[in-house]
Amino acid sequence: MTTYHQRVGATALVERDRERAALASWWDEASAGRGRLVLVGGDAGAGKTALVDTFLRHFSGRLLHGTCEPLATPVPLGPLRDMAGDLPLTGDPAEIRRWFLDELRGTPTLVVLDDAQWADEGTLDLLRFLGRRIERCPAMVVVVYRDDEVGVRHPLRVLAGDLSTVPVVRRLAVPPLSLAAVTALAEGSGLDAAELHHRTGGNAFFVTEVLGDGGATVPATVRDAVLARAARLTPGAREVLDALACLGPRAAPWVVEAVSGRPFADLDECADRGLVVAHGGVVSFRHELARVAVEEAIAPGRAARVHRRALDVLGAAPPGEVEPARLANHALLAQDRSALLTHARAAAEQASALGAHTEAAAHLRRALDVCGDSVLRAELLEGLGRQCHLADDLGNALRWWQDAVAARTSIGDRRGQGTALAGLAITALHLAREVPLGERSIDQAVEVLTSLPPGPEFAFACAVRAKFAAMGFRNDEAIAWGERALVGEEPLVRALAAMSIGIGRAQNGDVRGLDLIGESIRLTRAAGAYDEAGLAYFWAQLICVTRRWYRQADHWYAEAIAYTEDHGQEVWRQWLRAFRARALLDQGRWDDAEALASEVLRSAAVDDGRTMISMVVLATVRARRGDPDSRQLLTHVRPAMVTAEPVVGWLVGATRALAETAWYAGDLGEVRAIVTPALATAAREPWHLGALAHLLSRTGSTVVPDEAAEPYRLHLTGFHEEAALRWRQVGCPYEAALALTDSGDERLLREALAEFDRLGARPMRDATARRLRRHGVRDIPRRSTTTGADGLTAREREVLTLLADGRRNTEIAEELFLSCRTVEHHVASVLRKLRVPDRAEAARYARRNGV
């Protein structure tokens, strides 16, 4: 093994040959036109940046490098700003993403994004965009992040999960140094290598920091090692070091001089001591751990004074030269309330314009904390509700909207009160379980705005009211409210009105209603109203899937997914994928449905309708296969749907899925208890009513609602073969087979048996086989099984893949949405079938065989 290391002032690099070779191999693939996105993870100080720097020493080509910074709230698209130089990043975030992708299409390019654990929402959207499109670019994007700071729900972890099935993605873990490596580095230092390895845990930065300090003993922490070196500085140099620590990871020398009030010679002393380095016209600490150690050691009063001076120096720069997020950060730490209010609002406006809604909300919260004006406070609360909603933080969005309503009410602003009530209603609608609150809010909004002179706010409220009617499948009411909204003058409001009318007509069965929704999409896209366009695509997909118009659903899905991916509409993309999973389930493509629903659940950050739909899809697939854990998923969905069920139960389907699992379990009393009250209060959506009536018929009580969809009515009235034919025409093979099972005809029962066997529907396959036996049939084919060459089922191969990644049973259970007990059974089965003694051997088998 080749060992590379330099002593004091440079980062030691050992035991990284495999990782360097992997980067080189992936770069060869990328530069040949097969783009790659590489996730490089490891603990803080593990040597991730040193690894990439060493790779870059042998790299020849175009390099774009950017770094995320640990500000209180990150600069939107901060790393891209590093790469773009003086190019102003303003305007449409979608255009910025497309521009950057175009930059990667020509010359082979290496993009390095450091410290991605601090990335803003806009940067993560850019990475998601690139991950799905870089495959045909001669480019490699290397994303370096601290694995120990990226938890299960961290946005970067969600992003990695969302891209987990994208073939261009590669992962690289940078492990701690071994004792042998630390021994090699410590040679000649006089330090006990074993103690050094034990104290540092093999952390590369800590090891080199201790060795660079030249001490005779090993400090207890990295902080002690850094501060021991800093203590040897002269007082003037220490002031410079403190100023640089407060300015952030890097700063221009003239800024450090101006903020510290010390000459360049003191900055040179810091560099000579190996505490800071200069590169590309800026100075920085050798590692963020060192900067944090110095910053935390500064007395609070002195730190506030340094930040006050930084605010003065940077605030005097020409407009646009210093990011408002950076000024807001210094104002916060300087405890300057007036400056914080000014700069935080400017930073929020910029972040929102660049699609960084999480960061925009964070800035608005800080502005709200120091705002004393009641009118401005109401505006900030509305902004928080809007930004949290767009950031997919619906729970907080709901609370901020409620506070905004109260604030507008308290100052007597009735028009503002109506607008805030409409905003509250929209967020409540998305949460599903808060639909009753949303209906009350929009009714109140309409009442308040009706008493005022006409304006766009009233037309908008009418459009929102129409959406609630459509969600409750009150289609004529939705059309009427949409027509009331048409009186508005604003193009966007008229587009929303047209959408409502189209929804009502399409849900009434008029396929031409989709044309109106399409017109709404055209208008909202032209206006740059991305969220509203995503909403229209969602409704087009919802209607097509619910009504079993699968050909139209495929068309809308392809167009909608391309649009939402291009424009960073990740929330709407997840909604679309949830309904796509539902369509795949209905069309008998169960493996695809399960995979897609699982992906939505892994990437969705909110427990709302899209997660509930995905859980229903997963539970239904597993129940129909006879797998365990289906009821566990539904017991999570059911309580959240109690209040929403009469309105949106037809859309989510939790009740019918729960009743279906009870039917397979043979608990007909529970089926009756679940379905009877639901059938009485359900929205009159034909396919939902038919499904509930069919389930109730399993208990011996046949009810045939007039509104039920035709295939269900044929089935329930005894026309089994005709019902099956209609189901096949619609494209639903499982329901077609179900219709045949109620026939006493051997030929039809054999058809059903074959279909259940093909689908892997074990409970109904076995029930049909028993029915055939009761008819005296003896030559019943044996149940087929789907396994690989190693005898593993598809689920067992999933478990084996995660075993190879070193996952524990609890982690596997979370990843696959299974119970720990079920995972234990799968692991035991994998070990038994592979004839290996333990998990480590199973993992080795997986790696050898490319599982």
Side-chain angles (χ1 to χ4, degrees):
M1 179 187 74
T2 306
T3 299
Y4 303 86
H5 61 92
Q6 297 174 329
R7 288 304 171 95
V8 181
T11 301
L13 188 69
V14 297
E15 292 188 333
R16 299 294 185 249
D17 288 356
R18 183 185 67 83
E19 289 82 3
R20 281 199 311 109
L23 288 174
S25 173
W26 295 332
W27 169 246
D28 288 342
E29 295 171 354
S31 58
R34 303 189 302 277
R36 296 289 179 261
L37 190 148
V38 182
L39 302 173
V40 180
D43 291 349
K48 305 178 296 296
T49 302
L51 166 66
V52 174
D53 286 347
T54 302
F55 168 68
L56 292 178
R57 289 175 202 160
H58 306 281
F59 169 80
S60 59
R62 184 188 186 207
L63 173 66
L64 300 176
H65 190 281
T67 303
C68 304
E69 299 185 48
L71 300 178
T73 303
V75 174
L77 295 176
L80 188 55
R81 294 170 184 276
D82 293 343
M83 301 174 197
D86 295 330
L87 184 70
L89 294 178
T90 57
D92 188 343
E95 290 298 328
I96 293 172
R97 288 190 288 269
R98 283 195 287 269
W99 162 78
F100 193 74
L101 181 65
D102 288 341
E103 287 290 308
L104 304 184
R105 293 191 192 278
T107 305
T109 304
L110 175 66
V111 180
V112 177
L113 193 150
D114 231 333
D115 284 324
Q117 72 276 357
W118 295 319
D120 66 285
E121 184 180 1
T123 298
L124 294 175
D125 283 343
L126 173 65
L127 291 176
R128 185 178 281 109
F129 179 86
L130 293 177
R132 294 170 183 155
R133 290 163 179 80
I134 200 173
E135 186 169 12
R136 298 189 179 182
C137 297
M140 182 165 82
V141 178
V142 177
V143 181
V144 183
Y145 66 97
R146 294 185 184 179
D147 192 58
D148 52 334
E149 293 189 19
V150 177
V152 174
R153 287 297 175 188
H154 190 284
L156 184 60
R157 185 77 71 186
V158 173
L159 168 68
D162 195 32
L163 296 177
S164 61
T165 58
V166 177
V168 303
V169 175
R170 300 290 182 270
R171 296 172 182 266
L172 192 62
V174 180
L177 299 175
S178 68
L179 175 58
V182 173
T183 301
L185 289 170
E187 185 179 353
S189 68
L191 292 173
D192 185 314
E195 183 189 4
L196 178 59
H197 181 263
H198 173 71
R199 282 283 188 91
T200 63
N203 182 283
F205 172 72
F206 195 179
V207 170
T208 54
E209 192 66 20
V210 171
L211 293 173
D213 184 49
T217 59
V218 182
T221 66
V222 177
R223 181 179 182 277
D224 294 339
V226 171
L227 295 181
R229 190 183 297 195
R232 298 185 178 90
L233 295 172
T234 61
R238 182 56 192 265
E239 289 184 27
V240 168
L241 195 70
D242 290 352
L244 180 57
C246 291
L247 283 167
R250 60 194 186 282
W254 74 265
V255 174
V256 180
E257 181 189 28
V259 172
S260 67
R262 303 297 305 178
F264 284 126
D266 288 331
L267 183 60
D268 291 340
E269 182 184 341
C270 295
D272 292 340
R273 291 281 187 178
L275 285 159
V276 304
V277 294
H279 178 73
V282 298
V283 290
S284 63
F285 282 82
R286 284 181 44 247
H287 197 283
E288 177 63 13
L289 288 174
R291 189 195 70 80
V292 171
V294 172
E295 184 182 33
E296 289 178 346
I298 304 172
R302 170 163 167 70
R305 289 192 296 274
V306 173
H307 283 291
R308 172 72 264 176
R309 180 62 182 157
L311 186 60
D312 292 340
V313 170
L314 297 175
E321 188 169 305
V322 180
E323 299 296 336
R326 194 176 301 281
L327 296 172
N329 185 67
H330 287 303
L332 174 69
L333 297 173
Q335 301 175 32
D336 187 328
R337 297 170 65 90
S338 175
L340 178 57
L341 181 60
T342 298
H343 295 307
R345 290 171 66 200
E349 183 178 352
Q350 183 193 60
S352 179
L354 292 173
H357 302 294
T358 299
E359 287 68 34
H363 286 302
L364 290 174
R365 281 196 296 272
R366 293 192 178 92
L368 185 67
D369 288 341
V370 295
C371 178
D373 181 84
S374 57
V375 175
L376 179 56
R377 182 177 180 80
E379 292 178 10
L380 292 172
L381 288 167
E382 289 172 347
L384 273 164
R386 190 173 300 108
Q387 295 303 322
C388 285
H389 182 103
L390 292 171
D392 206 19
D393 184 4
L394 299 183
N396 277 321
L398 197 72
R399 287 188 284 275
W400 292 122
W401 278 119
Q402 288 172 319
D403 288 348
V405 170
R408 290 294 183 188
T409 304
S410 68
I411 61 177
D413 180 0
R414 290 181 61 76
R415 195 173 296 276
Q417 179 190 4
T419 301
L421 282 164
L424 170 61
I426 291 171
T427 296
L429 182 64
H430 281 70
L431 276 169
R433 63 180 178 274
E434 297 292 352
V435 164
L437 170 63
E439 290 204 291
R440 292 194 301 272
S441 300
I442 197 59
D443 285 344
Q444 188 179 352
V446 170
E447 180 183 350
V448 168
L449 293 169
T450 300
S451 66
L452 302 174
E457 300 86 1
F458 175 73
F460 179 73
C462 289
V464 175
R465 189 66 192 82
K467 298 299 182 300
F468 278 89
M471 276 289 189
F473 213 76
R474 302 187 301 274
N475 300 317
D476 293 340
E477 183 183 332
I479 294 169
W481 280 108
E483 289 173 344
R484 290 187 71 179
L486 279 175
V487 300
E489 297 293 329
E490 291 190 0
L492 181 57
V493 175
R494 293 184 69 83
L496 294 176
M499 186 196 312
S500 300
I501 297 169
I503 291 167
R505 292 178 180 174
Q507 288 194 157
N508 272 339
D510 184 355
V511 72
R512 292 172 298 179
L514 294 176
D515 296 335
L516 267 178
I517 300 175
E519 177 65 10
S520 176
I521 289 171
R522 186 188 67 78
L523 292 171
T524 51
R525 289 182 61 162
Y530 302 142
D531 191 58
E532 288 76 10
L535 172 66
Y537 276 124
F538 156 77
W539 273 103
Q541 179 76 356
L542 182 162
I543 292 166
C544 290
V545 171
T546 302
R547 297 199 67 87
R548 272 68 169 178
W549 294 341
Y550 296 123
R551 181 176 57 81
Q552 293 95 328
D554 289 345
H555 162 76
W556 283 112
Y557 182 73
E559 181 181 321
I561 283 293
Y563 177 82
T564 53
E565 288 183 353
D566 279 349
H567 292 82
Q569 294 292 302
E570 190 59 23
V571 174
W572 288 122
R573 177 177 172 271
Q574 291 169 357
W575 274 103
L576 291 165
R577 282 155 61 86
F579 273 100
R580 177 66 170 176
R582 166 81 170 276
L584 293 170
L585 164 69
D586 291 343
Q587 294 175 91
R589 297 168 58 184
W590 292 355
D591 288 343
D592 294 337
E594 183 177 28
L596 190 55
S598 297
E599 287 177 24
V600 173
L601 288 171
R602 281 192 289 268
S603 58
V606 177
D607 189 14
D608 66 353
R610 87 201 97 142
T611 59
M612 295 179 197
I613 292 165
S614 299
M615 285 185 180
V616 167
V617 169
L618 270 186
T620 303
V621 168
R622 291 175 182 175
R624 291 178 180 180
R625 284 175 171 163
D627 294 345
D629 296 316
S630 58
R631 291 181 67 83
Q632 178 184 338
L633 287 167
L634 292 173
T635 52
H636 174 82
V637 177
R638 187 69 172 141
M641 290 299 298
V642 169
T643 57
E645 187 72 36
V647 181
V648 297
W650 65 275
L651 188 154
V652 176
T655 294
R656 60 179 182 261
L658 194 62
E660 189 174 340
T661 58
W663 173 33
Y664 298 141
D667 193 343
L668 299 184
E670 185 175 2
V671 173
R672 188 180 297 106
I674 293 170
V675 173
T676 301
L679 195 55
T681 60
R684 311 313 286 176
E685 196 283 314
W687 300 88
H688 179 59
L689 285 177
L692 292 177
H694 169 259
L695 286 163
L696 188 61
S697 73
R698 303 299 90 187
T699 70
S701 176
T702 300
V703 176
V704 187
D706 292 338
E707 304 98 324
E710 181 191 21
Y712 282 117
R713 282 189 283 107
L714 288 169
H715 185 172
L716 292 168
T717 52
F719 295 94
H720 305 119
E721 191 167 10
E722 293 84 348
L725 176 61
R726 188 70 185 95
W727 278 118
R728 291 194 192 100
Q729 291 170 342
V730 168
C732 299
Y734 184 75
E735 283 78 4
L738 282 179
L740 296 177
T741 58
D742 284 341
S743 166
D745 187 297
E746 179 183 335
R747 175 181 61 85
L748 299 181
L749 287 171
R750 284 185 178 274
E751 284 184 27
L753 183 76
E755 189 63 66
F756 289 136
D757 209 28
R758 184 188 67 81
L759 291 168
R762 194 169 68 247
M764 286 310 302
R765 193 265 179 208
D766 292 347
T768 306
R770 289 194 296 271
R771 184 178 289 252
L772 280 166
R773 290 191 190 96
R774 286 198 297 271
H775 282 75
V777 178
R778 292 292 174 261
D779 59 334
I780 299 172
R782 299 186 63 179
R783 187 169 62 201
S784 63
T785 57
T786 304
T787 60
D790 48 20
L792 299 181
T793 64
R795 174 53 47 76
E796 288 166 349
R797 290 179 72 80
E798 283 185 300
V799 170
L800 177 58
T801 300
L802 295 172
L803 280 177
D805 282 345
R807 304 287 188 92
R808 298 186 298 273
N809 282 3
T810 52
E811 295 171 321
I812 295 173
E814 184 176 5
E815 180 82 7
L816 299 180
F817 305 97
L818 299 168
S819 69
C820 284
R821 176 167 293 184
T822 299
V823 171
E824 289 171 6
H825 290 318
H826 284 313
V827 170
S829 180
V830 167
L831 299 182
R832 185 179 67 255
K833 290 181 178 180
L834 297 183
R835 298 181 181 179
V836 295
D838 53 36
R839 301 164 74 96
E841 283 300 322
R844 277 191 278 274
Y845 171 91
R847 286 190 286 270
R848 282 196 309 270
N849 292 276
V851 177

Coordinates of all heavy atoms in Angstrom, one line a residue, residues 92-95 97-98 125 129 133 525 530 561-570:
D92 N -35.5 33.1 -12.2 CA -36.1 31.8 -12.1 C -35.2 30.7 -11.7 O -34.2 30.4 -12.4 CB -36.7 31.5 -13.5 CG -37.6 30.3 -13.5 OD1 -37.5 29.5 -12.5 OD2 -38.4 30.1 -14.4
P93 N -35.4 30.0 -10.6 CA -34.6 28.9 -10.1 C -34.5 27.8 -11.2 O -33.4 27.2 -11.3 CB -35.2 28.4 -8.8 CG -36.0 29.5 -8.4 CD -36.5 30.2 -9.6
A94 N -35.6 27.5 -11.9 CA -35.6 26.5 -12.9 C -34.6 26.9 -14.0 O -33.9 26.0 -14.6 CB -37.0 26.3 -13.5
E95 N -34.5 28.2 -14.4 CA -33.6 28.6 -15.4 C -32.2 28.5 -15.0 O -31.3 28.1 -15.7 CB -33.9 30.1 -15.8 CG -35.2 30.3 -16.6 CD -35.2 29.5 -17.9 OE1 -34.1 29.4 -18.5 OE2 -36.3 29.1 -18.3
R97 N -31.0 26.2 -12.8 CA -30.7 24.8 -12.9 C -30.4 24.4 -14.3 O -29.4 23.6 -14.6 CB -31.8 24.0 -12.3 CG -31.9 24.1 -10.8 CD -32.9 23.1 -10.2 NE -34.3 23.4 -10.5 CZ -35.0 24.1 -9.7 NH1 -34.6 24.7 -8.6 NH2 -36.3 24.4 -10.0
R98 N -31.2 24.8 -15.3 CA -31.0 24.5 -16.7 C -29.7 25.0 -17.2 O -29.0 24.4 -17.9 CB -32.2 24.9 -17.5 CG -33.4 24.0 -17.4 CD -34.4 24.2 -18.5 NE -35.1 25.5 -18.3 CZ -36.2 25.6 -17.6 NH1 -36.8 24.6 -17.0 NH2 -36.8 26.8 -17.5
D125 N -32.1 21.1 -4.3 CA -32.9 20.9 -5.5 C -32.1 20.8 -6.8 O -32.4 20.1 -7.7 CB -33.9 22.1 -5.7 CG -35.1 22.0 -4.7 OD1 -35.4 20.9 -4.2 OD2 -35.8 23.0 -4.5
F129 N -31.9 17.7 -9.3 CA -32.1 18.0 -10.7 C -30.9 17.4 -11.5 O -31.2 16.7 -12.5 CB -32.2 19.5 -10.9 CG -32.3 19.9 -12.4 CD1 -33.5 20.0 -13.0 CD2 -31.2 20.3 -13.1 CE1 -33.7 20.5 -14.3 CE2 -31.3 20.7 -14.4 CZ -32.6 20.8 -15.0
R133 N -30.3 13.9 -14.5 CA -30.1 14.3 -15.8 C -28.6 14.2 -16.3 O -28.3 14.4 -17.4 CB -30.5 15.8 -16.1 CG -32.0 15.9 -16.0 CD -32.4 17.3 -15.8 NE -33.9 17.5 -15.8 CZ -34.7 17.2 -14.8 NH1 -34.1 16.7 -13.7 NH2 -36.0 17.3 -14.9
R525 N -48.4 27.9 -16.1 CA -47.0 27.8 -16.6 C -46.6 29.1 -17.2 O -45.4 29.5 -17.0 CB -46.9 26.6 -17.5 CG -47.0 25.2 -16.8 CD -46.8 24.1 -17.8 NE -45.5 24.1 -18.4 CZ -44.9 23.1 -19.0 NH1 -45.5 21.9 -19.1 NH2 -43.7 23.2 -19.5
Y530 N -45.5 28.1 -10.6 CA -45.1 26.7 -10.6 C -46.0 25.9 -9.7 O -46.3 24.7 -10.0 CB -43.7 26.5 -10.3 CG -42.7 27.3 -11.2 CD1 -41.6 27.9 -10.8 CD2 -43.0 27.4 -12.6 CE1 -40.7 28.6 -11.6 CE2 -42.2 28.0 -13.5 CZ -41.0 28.6 -13.0 OH -40.2 29.3 -13.8
I561 N -44.5 14.8 -14.5 CA -43.2 14.5 -13.8 C -42.1 15.3 -14.4 O -41.2 15.8 -13.7 CB -42.9 12.9 -13.9 CG1 -43.8 12.2 -12.9 CG2 -41.5 12.6 -13.7 CD1 -43.5 12.5 -11.5
A562 N -42.1 15.4 -15.8 CA -41.0 16.2 -16.4 C -41.1 17.6 -15.9 O -40.0 18.2 -15.6 CB -41.1 16.1 -17.9
Y563 N -42.3 18.2 -15.8 CA -42.4 19.6 -15.4 C -42.0 19.7 -14.0 O -41.2 20.7 -13.6 CB -43.9 20.0 -15.6 CG -44.1 21.4 -15.1 CD1 -43.8 22.5 -15.9 CD2 -44.6 21.6 -13.8 CE1 -44.0 23.8 -15.5 CE2 -44.8 22.9 -13.4 CZ -44.5 24.0 -14.2 OH -44.7 25.3 -13.8
T564 N -42.5 18.9 -13.1 CA -42.2 19.1 -11.7 C -40.7 18.9 -11.4 O -40.1 19.5 -10.5 CB -43.0 18.1 -10.8 OG1 -42.9 16.8 -11.3 CG2 -44.5 18.5 -10.8
E565 N -40.0 18.0 -12.1 CA -38.6 17.8 -11.9 C -37.8 19.0 -12.5 O -36.8 19.4 -11.8 CB -38.1 16.5 -12.6 CG -38.6 15.2 -11.9 CD -38.1 13.9 -12.6 OE1 -37.5 14.0 -13.6 OE2 -38.3 12.9 -12.0
D566 N -38.2 19.5 -13.6 CA -37.5 20.6 -14.2 C -37.6 21.9 -13.3 O -36.7 22.7 -13.2 CB -38.1 21.0 -15.6 CG -37.6 20.1 -16.6 OD1 -36.6 19.4 -16.4 OD2 -38.1 20.1 -17.8
H567 N -38.8 22.0 -12.6 CA -39.0 23.3 -11.9 C -38.9 23.1 -10.4 O -39.4 24.0 -9.6 CB -40.4 23.8 -12.3 CG -40.5 24.3 -13.7 ND1 -40.7 23.4 -14.7 CD2 -40.3 25.5 -14.2 CE1 -40.6 24.1 -15.9 NE2 -40.4 25.4 -15.6
G568 N -38.4 22.0 -9.9 CA -38.1 21.8 -8.5 C -39.4 21.7 -7.6 O -39.3 22.0 -6.4
Q569 N -40.5 21.2 -8.2 CA -41.7 21.1 -7.5 C -41.8 19.7 -6.9 O -42.5 18.8 -7.3 CB -42.9 21.3 -8.4 CG -43.0 22.7 -8.9 CD -43.4 23.7 -7.8 OE1 -44.4 23.5 -7.1 NE2 -42.5 24.6 -7.6
E570 N -40.9 19.5 -5.9 CA -40.7 18.1 -5.3 C -42.0 17.6 -4.6 O -42.3 16.4 -4.6 CB -39.5 18.1 -4.4 CG -39.1 16.8 -3.9 CD -38.7 15.8 -5.1 OE1 -38.3 16.3 -6.2 OE2 -38.7 14.6 -4.9

